[in-house]
Amino acid sequence: MPRAVLDHDAKMNRVIAALWAAFPEATSSHDLAERAAPYFRNRQGQPIDPKTVRLWLSGVSLPRGEHVFVLIGMVGAGFFGLPLQPAARRGAR
């Protein structure tokens, strides 16, 4: 029977890869967390703490659903492991 959902490690690996893809200029996990945190909001609408992103990067916790949606918006289809289609080729026949 095929698995309907990814296991925890697969989800974590996908989130980590997407974060690095969204911020390719980051030079370290600390730098990545500092760059990424302002794009994600807590329930009060404030930017999350970079420590939260570091917890995601270390595999300690997974981001909440709304944070995953933001991340998908940043990296597009690449989040799902699909090749990204260059914008210039979209709709080309």
Side-chain angles (χ1 to χ4, degrees):
M1 177 178 190
R3 292 188 72 144
V5 295
L6 296 174
D7 65 24
H8 179 80
D9 289 343
K11 290 175 191 173
M12 190 56 58
N13 289 338
R14 190 153 297 176
V15 165
I16 292 168
L19 281 165
W20 282 106
F23 299 93
E25 67 281 3
T27 58
S28 67
S29 293
H30 180 81
D31 182 36
L32 175 57
E34 293 290 328
R35 291 173 185 266
Y39 290 90
F40 301 97
R41 302 291 169 166
N42 63 23
R43 289 188 172 120
Q44 291 75 39
Q46 300 298 316
I48 64 170
D49 192 287
K51 180 180 178 181
T52 302
V53 179
R54 287 193 292 276
L55 290 172
W56 300 343
L57 291 169
S58 66
V60 171
S61 66
L62 283 167
R64 292 193 335 245
E66 59 265 28
H67 296 146
V68 173
F69 287 132
V70 170
L71 193 51
I72 291 168
M74 290 177 175
V75 298
F79 185 85
F80 301 102
L82 301 172
L84 296 175
Q85 188 177 28
R89 296 191 52 161
R90 288 186 186 141
R93 296 180 192 252

